[in-house]
Amino acid sequence: QVQLVESGGGLVKPSGSLRLSCAASGFIFSEYYMSWTRQAPGKGLEWVAFISSSGSTVYYAGSVEGRFTISRDNAKNSVYLEMNSLRADDTAVYYCARVSTAWSQQSPSNYWGQGTLVTVSS
Amino acid sequence: DFVMTQSPESLAVSLGERATINCKSRQSVFFNNKNYLAWYQKKPGQPPKLLIYWASTRESGVPDRFSGSGSGTDFTLTISSLQAEDVAVYYCQQYYSTSWTFGQGTKVEIK
């Protein structure tokens, strides 16, 4: 069965950095676009970034562009989110997700991890 | 810019009654005969759950009391007979553009 397991969350000071990981299993990882979505405390869902199957194409939400980098290692069945210049408003639960259709960015996300909490505070 | 606006922000419905949630996109998400619009259910402490995609296709395993309708810029999620386990926040999402966007969410409670 499809499993997505995030790790790497924690407490970080403002302007600090953190790297999130998402380990995938149960499907052919290299065929699927992957994404990160976050939910700040008491707020709604906010899409953060997605990456193509090969890793050659990435897109970011305006709120994180230039500070966050999404990447993947298809040999390790993992997707990452490198977060730099963190701010208090980056505090959120971060979810990785897989799209439902292989090779397609224009596809909803039907598998999600349980999320990892990132807290940015001094 | 694909801004998604949901209404209402919250609603309280009696058990067994109908709940209706609206989602409006600033730009059309209809292309190639498809509406690139999904609905998710979000409960506290759980990841989002995909309910509906292509605006009206129910995800496998989702009860048939959930249905989606609409096209272009205006969409609706209907829960035909609200059950206690349906208490959650519901989000629409467009996946047409290279910048996915969610609506702000609609909280559904029991009256």
Side-chain angles (χ1 to χ4, degrees), chain A residues 5-8 19-23 36 78-81 96 116:
Chain A
V5 180
E6 302 97 337
S7 60
R19 189 196 199 207
L20 305 183
S21 300
C22 173
W36 290 94
S78 293
V79 61
Y80 309 99
L81 187 68
C96 77
T116 187

Side-chain angles (χ1 to χ4, degrees), chain B residues 11-33:
Chain B
L11 73 161
V13 176
S14 300
L15 288 171
E17 294 301 304
R18 178 184 301 259
T20 302
I21 301 168
N22 300 302
C23 173
K24 188 174 185 68
S25 174
R26 189 178 290 178
Q27 293 181 268
S28 175
V29 298
F30 182 75
F31 182 72
N32 267 355
N33 239 16

Side-chain angles (χ1 to χ4, degrees), chain A residues 1 11 13 17-18 27 41 58 60 73 87-88 90:
Chain A
Q1 72 281 22
L11 176 64
K13 289 182 168 52
S17 299
L18 209 57
F27 63 101
V58 296
Y60 299 96
D73 185 336
R87 311 184 301 225
D90 294 316

Side-chain angles (χ1 to χ4, degrees), chain B residues 28-45:
Chain B
S28 175
V29 298
F30 182 75
F31 182 72
N32 267 355
N33 239 16
K34 291 181 178 179
N35 287 286
Y36 290 68
L37 189 285
W39 288 96
Y40 297 87
Q41 178 190 66
K42 179 71 171 69
K43 295 181 178 179

